[in-house]
Amino acid sequence: MLTVASLGLAQLMIGQLANAQTQDSLQLKDVVISATKNDQKQSQTGKVVTIISREVLDRSNGKSLPDLLSEQAGIVISGGNSNQGKDKSIFTRGALSGYTLVLIDGIVQNDPASISGTFDLRLFSIDQIDHIEILKGGQSTIYGSDAVAGVINIVTKKGGPKGNTIYGVASAGSFETYKGTIGLNGGVEGFSYNINYTHLKTDGISEAAVPPGSAAIFDKDGFKTDGLNANFGIKLDEHFSVNPFLRYFYGDYKIDQDGFTDGLPSNNSILKQFSAGFNSEYKFNTGKITLNYSHQSNSNDVKSSYAGFPSNFLNFGKLNVVDLFYNQKLGNKLDLLVGIDNRKMKLVTDTKNPTTNIFAAYGSLFLHDLSIFNLEVGGRYNKHDQYGENSTYSITPSVNIIKEVKLFGTVSTAFKVPTLNMLFGQYGANLDLKPERSQNYEAGINLNIADEAFTLRIAGFKRDLTDAIVYTTGYINEGNQKYKGFEVEPAAKFSVFNINGYYAFVEGNTGTTNFLIRRPKHTFGINAGSQATDNLYASVNFRYFGKRFDTNFISYLNEEMPSYNLFNAYIEYALAKKRVKVFFDAKNILNKKYTEIIGYNTPGFNFNTGVSFNIR
């Protein structure tokens, strides 16, 4: 059915090609990257940056945030293609979960109550996001702990033009899945606002695979989530602005008993996150001062029948982040960034409430547009109240040989602090833990032909991790881990068509194995889209995930998992002067064998269809 639909769609697109007009869009080289804290244009930096634009997000209503991120080169989301409610882990360039730092509007997100300290991607709906900035490689000089393999900056939707706009999404899909988003934004002189709410519910599927030949009926592991996001913009005068925000996320996830064994229907995990704070900025002729503050609280209330014994676990953590930095232009070619930040983390348990604090001072110099040369040099000093002091540095040159060719590279160090559970938790805590440290190397080339009608980026990387924290009879710093790989990302656009793709390769040695658990060596993806008519847009997406190893939680042996392919089709039709759009999104796992692997009981086909609207 999908094949016939694709052929019909292709015929329609070809028929409309002669009369269609090329869609206007901002060129990538002119996009300003806020995650560098220096508002650099992409053409001025040697960092490997990927922008997921508002346009792409608007055409991803049938996807989740993990779905969208897993379409990017070098990023694999563990659990991303299984049951929607299954926990998700970000593997960037082969690094484990916890080595990719998530930001929301430039502010660090961390869950002190979790083992790895990572932000839960399931709690954020793409309907609440304006765009996403991805910086690969070690970014600890600017953002400190956890930015070992990369940084993902989620930029939320902000206030709109004067007046009021109502927007939203309503959709339904496979496995009794329903999602609704409603938002209101607008502004008056000196004030803007954006408030939105998302509810998502699905019956899901059982994450426990039914044994071959068994007639047992396993309960479905569904979930429901609610998310409220509110941003306000207050412009006190032409120089000074304050932008308060408030966010609340709630998730109720059904879970199984243990290693893919079906559990009681009452087994569940209730996740809650609350955050409030502000971004503030004072501008003057040649610079600006920025102050960001955020208070976050996270809780995970788990009801489990693990090992046949009903139990209840509550993990609760708090995080306070203060980040103050100053940008100064030193002429037309040189920019200065200096800043200080402080993270205070607290773990709340029944018996004790341990805290840690890490203070840092950092700075960078940006030399740009000096003939054909750009250079960024930075350093960071950190003081942790438990392990003491450490530092990082970053050197990023780039050379625009000609207008169409840029060479770039980075040498940097990065680190990850031990989490509160590792230092003070109930199981295997060790107060003598040191931070994990990495030495990073990166180099590549960017090609830009005919004003981005064709682009190609090739980047190679190498990362050596020392003092890695592992769990044996307890948490210890043990051994070295080595990773290397490369990514190839071509893209082309002509007339009404656009096509982009990637191939990524990564291999690693973790000290005990010469392969990476759950991380394939080879991944490949291609996306082709067309604005077939003024009102009709369609795209197809194909992804390949190569063989990889995973742990069988019955035998506790590492087993090789087969490769698999994903096919995704999307169609969108605009109505009412493009203020209303009807969309259909379908995904199919092409390898039947993949759906039969224990722990990966993902159905072969699922869909999502609905309507989005934007009405003033």
Side-chain angles (χ1 to χ4, degrees):
M1 182 179 71
L2 284 175
T3 303
V4 174
S6 299
L7 290 173
L9 180 62
Q11 184 178 13
L12 174 62
M13 289 189 293
I14 293 171
Q16 295 291 336
L17 177 61
N19 297 323
Q21 299 296 320
T22 303
Q23 190 172 29
D24 293 331
S25 63
L26 184 66
Q27 292 184 320
L28 289 176
K29 64 184 179 181
D30 298 322
V31 173
V32 174
I33 308 160
S34 62
T36 63
K37 290 189 177 180
N38 198 51
D39 294 342
Q40 292 171 283
K41 292 181 180 179
Q42 197 159 359
S43 60
Q44 295 174 328
T45 180
K47 295 182 177 181
V48 177
V49 180
T50 299
I51 306 294
I52 303 177
S53 68
R54 176 72 172 271
E55 181 181 46
V56 172
L57 284 156
D58 286 344
R59 289 172 174 168
S60 302
N61 286 309
K63 298 183 176 70
S64 66
L65 179 56
D67 286 335
L68 191 59
L69 291 175
S70 66
E71 294 179 0
Q72 313 308 312
I75 296 180
V76 173
I77 306 295
S78 176
N81 297 317
S82 57
N83 194 25
Q84 282 195 60
K86 182 174 175 58
D87 54 306
K88 315 298 181 185
S89 300
I90 309 173
F91 296 156
T92 302
R93 289 183 167 179
L96 279 168
S97 175
Y99 298 92
T100 301
L101 182 65
V102 175
L103 315 171
I104 297 181
D105 292 330
I107 298 179
V108 169
Q109 303 298 301
N110 190 285
D111 181 3
S114 70
I115 297 296
S116 62
T118 55
F119 175 75
D120 196 318
L121 293 175
R122 295 174 296 177
L123 296 177
F124 214 107
S125 171
I126 63 170
D127 306 328
Q128 300 173 336
I129 301 172
D130 182 81
H131 66 278
I132 301 172
E133 302 170 339
I134 302 172
L135 279 70
K136 295 176 188 171
Q139 307 295 333
S140 284
T141 295
I142 298 297
Y143 284 107
S145 177
D146 301 8
V148 174
V151 166
I152 297 174
N153 184 31
I154 299 170
V155 182
T156 59
K157 291 180 177 179
K158 303 297 191 298
K162 291 183 179 180
N164 299 307
T165 300
I166 300 173
Y167 63 92
V169 176
S171 65
S174 305
F175 317 113
E176 300 297 319
T177 300
Y178 304 97
K179 185 177 77 167
T181 294
I182 186 69
L184 179 68
N185 68 20
V188 295
E189 189 69 31
F191 177 78
S192 62
Y193 67 93
N194 179 74
I195 302 172
N196 53 51
Y197 165 76
T198 296
H199 174 76
L200 172 62
K201 173 262 177 189
T202 181
D203 286 351
I205 60 173
S206 173
E207 289 182 18
V210 179
S214 172
I217 299 176
F218 284 6
D219 73 297
K220 297 178 180 180
D221 297 310
F223 73 96
K224 61 179 180 180
T225 62
D226 295 277
L228 174 67
N229 183 48
N231 294 290
F232 305 93
I234 304 170
K235 192 170 183 180
L236 300 176
D237 59 34
E238 61 179 338
H239 302 289
F240 187 34
S241 62
V242 179
N243 305 288
F245 63 84
L246 178 72
R247 290 188 291 270
Y248 178 75
F249 302 111
Y250 171 92
D252 184 350
Y253 302 89
K254 300 297 183 182
I255 59 176
D256 282 323
Q257 179 173 314
D258 49 29
F260 307 117
T261 302
D262 201 39
L264 298 175
S266 60
N267 285 6
N268 72 331
S269 170
I270 296 179
L271 303 178
K272 298 178 183 178
Q273 191 208 47
F274 170 80
S275 60
F278 61 84
N279 308 96
S280 61
E281 192 175 84
Y282 183 83
K283 294 182 179 180
F284 41 94
N285 289 337
T286 58
K288 65 177 180 179
I289 298 173
T290 303
L291 173 63
N292 295 330
Y293 169 74
S294 174
H295 166 79
Q296 303 166 31
S297 64
N298 302 269
S299 69
N300 186 7
D301 189 359
V302 181
K303 293 182 176 67
S304 173
S305 57
Y306 177 73
F309 297 99
S311 57
N312 187 45
F313 301 97
L314 175 61
N315 296 314
F316 184 75
K318 294 183 178 182
L319 171 67
N320 287 285
V321 177
V322 178
D323 189 10
L324 173 67
F325 57 95
Y326 168 64
N327 298 93
Q328 177 64 54
K329 291 187 177 297
L330 305 174
N332 295 325
K333 306 290 185 181
L334 186 63
D335 299 336
L336 171 69
L337 165 68
V338 292
I340 56 174
D341 68 36
N342 193 82
R343 296 189 211 176
K344 184 175 182 179
M345 292 167 281
K346 183 176 183 179
L347 179 64
V348 180
T349 68
D350 293 337
T351 56
K352 52 186 177 181
N353 302 319
T355 63
T356 59
N357 193 86
I358 182 167
F359 170 82
Y362 59 92
S364 289
L365 279 171
F366 304 85
L367 180 66
H368 56 88
D369 302 318
L370 184 63
S371 182
I372 61 172
F373 188 65
N374 302 291
L375 176 66
E376 177 183 341
V377 179
R380 184 184 188 93
Y381 164 79
N382 309 280
K383 183 172 178 57
H384 191 275
D385 62 1
Q386 189 64 41
Y387 67 73
E389 303 173 343
N390 69 302
S391 60
T392 62
Y393 71 87
S394 177
I395 303 171
T396 304
S398 63
V399 179
N400 296 292
I401 298 176
I402 55 177
K403 178 183 177 182
E404 292 81 10
V405 180
K406 180 173 76 173
L407 302 177
F408 60 86
T410 296
V411 178
S412 67
T413 55
F415 73 104
K416 178 176 175 60
V417 301
T419 65
L420 285 166
N421 270 290
M422 295 173 179
L423 292 169
F424 305 102
Q426 300 179 45
Y427 306 103
N430 182 358
L431 289 174
D432 294 324
L433 290 172
K434 299 180 291 185
E436 301 175 83
R437 299 174 295 135
S438 73
Q439 179 73 52
N440 311 291
Y441 304 93
E442 189 173 73
I445 183 171
N446 268 338
L447 301 179
N448 173 5
I449 300 173
D451 285 332
E452 297 185 357
F454 175 78
T455 61
L456 174 66
R457 179 168 67 194
I458 303 174
F461 64 90
K462 184 176 184 291
R463 182 175 64 255
D464 297 335
L465 186 71
T466 58
D467 293 325
I469 298 175
V470 298
Y471 188 91
T472 54
T473 56
Y475 289 105
I476 59 173
N477 293 101
E478 182 181 86
N480 302 327
Q481 299 178 10
K482 298 181 181 295
Y483 305 83
K484 62 182 178 181
F486 65 90
E487 299 149 2
V488 181
E489 299 175 79
K493 55 185 179 182
F494 54 95
S495 185
V496 297
F497 295 96
N498 62 79
I499 184 169
N500 59 76
Y502 69 86
Y503 168 74
F505 169 83
V506 62
E507 63 180 4
N509 186 323
T510 63
T512 57
T513 64
N514 60 359
F515 54 81
L516 301 177
I517 297 293
R518 300 182 183 177
R519 288 152 285 174
K521 278 189 176 183
H522 308 278
T523 55
F524 166 81
I526 186 168
N527 186 84
S530 172
Q531 189 70 51
T533 70
D534 285 344
N535 294 330
L536 178 64
Y537 175 84
S539 67
V540 291
N541 181 292
F542 174 84
R543 283 179 284 159
Y544 166 83
F545 296 84
K547 295 180 180 180
R548 69 252 178 257
F549 284 85
D550 204 346
T551 302
N552 185 320
F553 287 96
I554 297 176
S555 66
Y556 288 95
L557 297 176
N558 294 324
E559 299 180 5
E560 187 178 79
M561 302 289 102
S563 62
Y564 66 96
N565 305 311
L566 284 175
F567 179 82
N568 188 236
Y570 178 84
I571 300 174
E572 171 187 283
Y573 191 80
L575 305 166
K577 298 182 179 180
K578 300 185 180 181
R579 293 177 179 176
V580 177
K581 296 180 181 179
V582 179
F583 64 88
F584 177 80
D585 184 281
K587 180 169 68 173
N588 190 35
I589 294 179
L590 302 181
N591 301 49
K592 185 175 185 293
K593 188 175 181 180
Y594 173 82
T595 69
E596 299 170 350
I597 299 169
I598 292 178
Y600 294 86
N601 191 24
T602 302
F605 175 81
N606 61 79
F607 72 92
N608 201 291
T609 186
V611 59
S612 64
F613 57 90
N614 191 318
I615 303 172
R616 293 197 66 191

